Amino acid sequence: EAQVTQNPRYLITVTGKKLTVTCSQNMNHEYMSWYRQDPGLGLRQIYYSMNVEVTDKGDVPEGYKVSRKEKRNFPLILESPSPNQTSLYFCASSPTGVSYEQYFGPGTRLTVT
Amino acid sequence: DAKTTQPNSMESNEEEPVHLPCNHSTISGTDYIHWYRQLPSQGPEYVIHGLTSNVNNRMASLAIAEDRKSSTLILHRATLRDAAVYYCILRAGGTSYGKLTFGQGTILTVHP
């Protein structure tokens, strides 16, 4: 089944403890992206990657890192999480190009205390 | 980045058509118009997209104004499962297609 998977689905952590949220897709897509969703603010793009070793900032990249060493994986790294990064995170992927649809993962709910 | 404007919320009755508007007055010639929806407790899912011509698929129709400054997503017969947040976004052409800005979206309520 074609899908985007995220792990973990739920995570509660403490301020300053480094964490990684993994994202993997099995559709051989070149493009991958991370979003966060907060009440009243909608979906906001954090980082995106057009292909392996190519990443770029979205609208809210502060406090996050990404890497794209393999085509299928696009992990989101929070090196020193803070409470304002408590949010619902979505990963998405699509083929290259403006006219293709994005496939979204199920989301990761992160709470930083 | 070109932005979109949508009504915060809309209501419909089951089995009636729904027209969800979107304004994108700063759209550029190579921007595609994409629509996604987000059902409760799920990730967004693709609905439809278009460039200039009206588009139809099994989920919905997309009507694009001649000047491309607005578009309308049409659900021909709303069902309770169509209750969701609907997002209209612009995806830039060329090498800028990677950056995406989702607006607040329209919360669609469908009454039985």
Side-chain angles (χ1 to χ4, degrees):
Chain A
E1 179 191 354
Q3 60 183 350
V4 177
T5 56
Q6 296 179 226
N7 282 293
R9 295 288 313 281
Y10 303 90
L11 178 61
I12 301 174
T13 189
V14 296
T15 299
K17 186 177 180 182
K18 182 179 179 180
L19 67 92
T20 299
V21 183
T22 65
C23 173
S24 183
Q25 50 93 5
N26 62 1
M27 295 168 280
N28 201 36
H29 288 164
E30 292 83 9
Y31 177 88
M32 297 186 75
S33 183
W34 275 104
Y35 300 86
R36 62 177 289 175
Q37 186 170 36
D38 303 288
L41 296 175
L43 276 160
R44 293 179 292 169
Q45 191 178 42
I46 303 171
Y47 270 97
Y48 62 94
S49 170
M50 307 281 257
N51 213 327
V52 176
E53 303 292 0
V54 180
T55 63
D56 212 341
K57 296 177 181 179
D59 290 324
V60 289
E62 296 78 19
Y64 304 95
K65 283 179 58 177
V66 292
S67 68
R68 188 90 183 274
K69 293 183 170 47
E70 305 169 279
K71 199 172 190 180
R72 64 182 291 125
N73 296 322
F74 190 43
L76 180 69
I77 303 158
L78 286 73
E79 296 215 323
S80 184
S82 62
N84 64 14
Q85 292 179 298
T86 292
S87 187
L88 179 58
Y89 291 86
F90 290 101
C91 180
S93 74
S94 78
T96 298
V98 67
S99 64
Y100 289 98
E101 65 185 272
Q102 287 188 89
Y103 294 81
F104 282 80
T108 294
R109 185 165 293 281
L110 172 66
T111 302
V112 183
T113 61
Chain B
D1 297 335
K3 294 292 190 286
T4 63
T5 304
Q6 300 175 252
N8 289 334
S9 63
M10 291 186 66
E11 296 186 19
S12 173
N13 294 318
E14 205 173 6
E15 299 193 5
E16 290 184 354
V18 181
H19 290 233
L20 297 164
C22 181
N23 287 319
H24 28 79
S25 58
T26 59
I27 191 171
S28 71
T30 56
D31 286 349
Y32 275 72
I33 303 158
H34 285 244
W35 283 81
Y36 285 78
R37 73 180 186 181
Q38 188 172 19
L39 303 171
S41 303
Q42 294 188 26
E45 65 174 350
Y46 167 82
V47 178
I48 200 166
H49 76 274
L51 181 62
T52 57
S53 303
N54 295 344
V55 184
N56 300 296
N57 66 21
R58 63 174 180 82
M59 289 181 70
S61 295
L62 177 60
I64 302 173
E66 198 168 332
D67 63 5
R68 300 210 325 127
K69 293 187 177 183
S70 66
S71 61
T72 302
L73 178 70
I74 303 165
L75 306 179
H76 294 286
R77 290 181 68 209
T79 70
L80 296 177
R81 288 174 296 177
D82 291 322
V85 181
Y86 286 79
Y87 296 98
C88 165
I89 64 172
L90 300 180
R91 199 161 193 191
T95 58
S96 303
Y97 78 88
K99 196 161 188 297
L100 285 170
T101 301
F102 281 72
Q104 295 287 327
T106 297
I107 301 170
L108 175 65
T109 301
V110 180
H111 298 290

